[in-house]
Structure formats: C-alpha cells, structure tokens
Amino acid sequence: MALVTGSARGIGKGIARRFAAEGARVGILDLDAKACQAVVDEIEAAGGSAEAVAADISAPAQVEAAVGKLRDQFGAINVLVNNAAVMPVGPLHETSLEDFDRLMAVNLRGTYLVCAAVIPGMIAAGGGSIIHIASVTGIIGLPRLAAYSMTKGALIALTRAMSTDYAAQGVRTNSVSPGTIDSPMLHEFVAWQSDPEALLRQYDAMHPLGRVGSIDDVANVCLFLASDEAGFVTGANYTVDGGISVKGEQPQDQAN
Ligand SMILES: NC(=O)c1ccc[n+]([C@@H]2O[C@H](COP(=O)([O-])OP(=O)(O)OC[C@H]3O[C@@H](n4cnc5c(N)ncnc54)[C@H](O)[C@@H]3O)[C@@H](O)[C@H]2O)c1
C-alpha cells in the first residue's frame, strides 16, 4: 500500500491518482476528511482502490491513528510520499513567528512524525520506498521564499541521511524537487500580484524548457522512484524543474 500525504489536492492528489491507476491501494491523507473522501471517490470511480485518513501531520496522535488505521486494515505501507507542506511567502524578517512555527511544524515535524510512524512496519515488511517532495528552492535561491526554502533544503539533506540509515533494511529514500508546477499552491502564490496571468507567463519563460511543469510531470517521477525499476536508486534528489536549477546566465547571441 502507498501513503501520500497532502493528497486531497494538487501534486499529492496527482501522485495518488497515478499510483492508483497503476494498481496500488493508496492512503489519502490530508487535513479535511470530506476532501480526502472526494479523492477516494474519484479514484474508485476510475476503478482504483483508496482509503481516506484525515489527519494533521504535525499532530502526533492524529498521525499515529491514521497510519495505524491503514496498517490494521491493509498491512504494511510499502511506499510513502511526504508531500504535504505549507508555503508562507516573504523575505525572512517579514515572516511572522506564527507562520514560521507552522512551516516547521508541517514541513519538517510532520515529515518526521509520518516517517516515524511508517518506517517500523516498512522495515518489518522487508523494505519500501520513501519519497520526500522537496523543491528547487532547496537548491537555488528564489525571491520571497526564504523560510520555505530552509525546509526544502532540509528535506534534501534528510534524504541523503535516511538513505544511509535504512539501505541495509531495504528502504530506499529519495527526494523529488519540482520547479514551478501548475497547481493550486502556485495560483495562490501569484494571486497577490496585480497581474497574475503575466506572472504565470514569466514563470513559463523562467524555465529553460519554456513552461512550468504539470502535476503529471512530478507524478511520473514519483511512480518511477516507487517502482522496482528504481531498485538501485537511493539517496538521490530528482529535479523535475524544466532545467531551472542548472540554468546559467543566458548569453546574448553573438556573431563570430
Ligand atoms: N506547486 C509548486 O509549484 C511546487 C513547486 C515545488 C515544490 N512543491 C511542493 O510540492 C508539494 C505539493 O504542493 P502543491 O502545489 O500540490 O500544494 P497544495 O497547497 O496544492 O497542496 C498541499 C496539500 O497539503 C495539505 N496539507 C497542508 N498542511 C497539512 C497538514 N498539516 N497535514 C496534512 N495535510 C496538509 C493541504 O491541505 C493540501 O491539500 C509541497 O511539498 C510543495 O512544497 C510545489
């Protein structure tokens, strides 16, 4: 069984739907029970199998209850995608302590809590695949995302450390670092601008491949990392970013 956190919408929902389409039973974990159930209904209508487990990943008792419910009903969780996150916007000194604490509670404490609840069963079952959804902001600097970027860099470091700790037990740990992805989080991020459409076009142009990514672009790489085809892949950070993280200054065309 696969558990995807933050899977009631956006990238997490896309990953859950993709896994279900490949035959996996998927745990849909998000804050809102109704929204989780709506994704379950969608997956079941498409012929897949899913279970809703509403929880706040920053709350230990809720995480234990959600993971325990999946384990009791369906056995070990073989694939875990740590996708749920929040993204306060602004330079560091303008990020409120409240937003900062929530960011750490969800993006880092939440990842820790879900891993701690899932890993013993994964090891007992002989191994599995853990995927942290990080971000290019963990690799390069982008404006107004300082505090968020701290958490994404931390997830990339965590990926390397966990891959070392759990390799002998057959647990592979990798991260996926999306560039700008066309998701509800992106649309909320641009909404503060006077011309969100113009900003979206700028995001397209920022990526060397000439467009922002789709949710499927991310789900495809997660599917690979979860599969046996990635059986020798651990400790890696896969950028899914249209080349933005390796982009240098673009030279002007020069006659030579
Ligand atoms: N959209 C992008 O451009 C982009 C780029 C790089 C990385 N990412 C990362 O991809 C992941 C998904 O992003 P998205 O764009 O789909 O975001 P989103 O805001 O659309 O979805 C995030 C989901 O996580 C859930 N969530 C938030 N806090 C939670 C909590 N405490 N407990 C349980 N669930 C919680 C939300 O309810 C929501 O359904 C995030 O980790 C994000 O940082 C997104």
Side-chain angles (χ1 to χ4, degrees):
M1 128 150 262
L3 171 59
V4 184
T5 69
S7 46
R9 73 170 198 175
I11 294 171
K13 178 178 168 182
I15 295 167
R17 288 176 51 174
R18 190 66 209 276
F19 282 7
E22 295 294 322
R25 185 189 292 274
V26 188
I28 306 298
L29 187 155
D30 210 300
L31 291 168
D32 182 70
K34 268 192 191 154
C36 291
Q37 190 55 47
V39 177
V40 169
D41 293 346
E42 218 178 288
I43 286 173
E44 287 179 347
S49 169
E51 185 71 22
V53 277
D56 178 340
I57 59 164
S58 70
Q62 293 184 35
V63 170
E64 263 308 323
V67 171
K69 181 180 169 195
L70 293 177
R71 196 175 41 224
D72 293 349
Q73 287 184 12
F74 308 112
I77 293 165
N78 317 102
V79 175
L80 166 62
V81 183
N82 286 306
N83 166 83
V86 293
M87 188 180 75
V89 175
L92 194 66
H93 74 285
E94 288 176 13
T95 303
S96 71
L97 183 57
E98 191 187 9
D99 281 353
F100 185 84
D101 286 346
R102 185 66 190 151
L103 175 72
M104 295 297 153
V106 177
N107 297 17
L108 296 184
R109 176 185 160 103
T111 299
Y112 155 74
L113 289 172
V114 177
C115 285
V118 166
I119 287 172
M122 197 178 258
I123 289 174
S129 171
I130 298 176
I131 301 163
H132 300 306
I133 304 298
S135 164
V136 288
T137 61
I139 305 169
I140 59 170
L142 290 177
R144 299 172 58 81
L145 291 170
Y148 171 80
S149 303
M150 288 169 76
T151 68
K152 295 304 182 174
L155 290 179
I156 295 170
L158 179 68
T159 299
R160 290 191 288 263
M162 287 178 65
S163 69
T164 314
D165 280 340
Y166 300 118
Q169 287 121 323
V171 176
R172 296 182 296 104
T173 309
N174 296 287
S175 52
V176 171
S177 287
T180 309
I181 302 298
D182 193 353
S183 77
M185 186 187 256
L186 172 65
H187 289 273
E188 284 168 12
F189 181 59
V190 298
W192 55 268
Q193 284 279 346
S194 55
D195 190 350
E197 281 308 313
L199 189 56
L200 287 174
R201 285 194 297 276
Q202 275 180 36
Y203 277 116
D204 285 335
M206 251 166 58
H207 293 75
L209 287 180
R211 64 172 178 87
V212 300
S214 69
I215 286 173
D216 280 347
D217 288 327
V218 180
N220 289 338
V221 175
C222 291
L223 184 64
F224 165 68
L225 290 172
S227 73
D228 291 343
E229 278 73 27
F232 201 51
V233 181
T234 193
N237 177 46
Y238 273 63
T239 51
V240 183
D241 68 354
I244 195 172
S245 60
V246 291
K247 181 169 92 165
E249 286 304 310
Q250 303 295 310
Q252 300 291 325
D253 278 350
Q254 288 175 2
N256 49 7

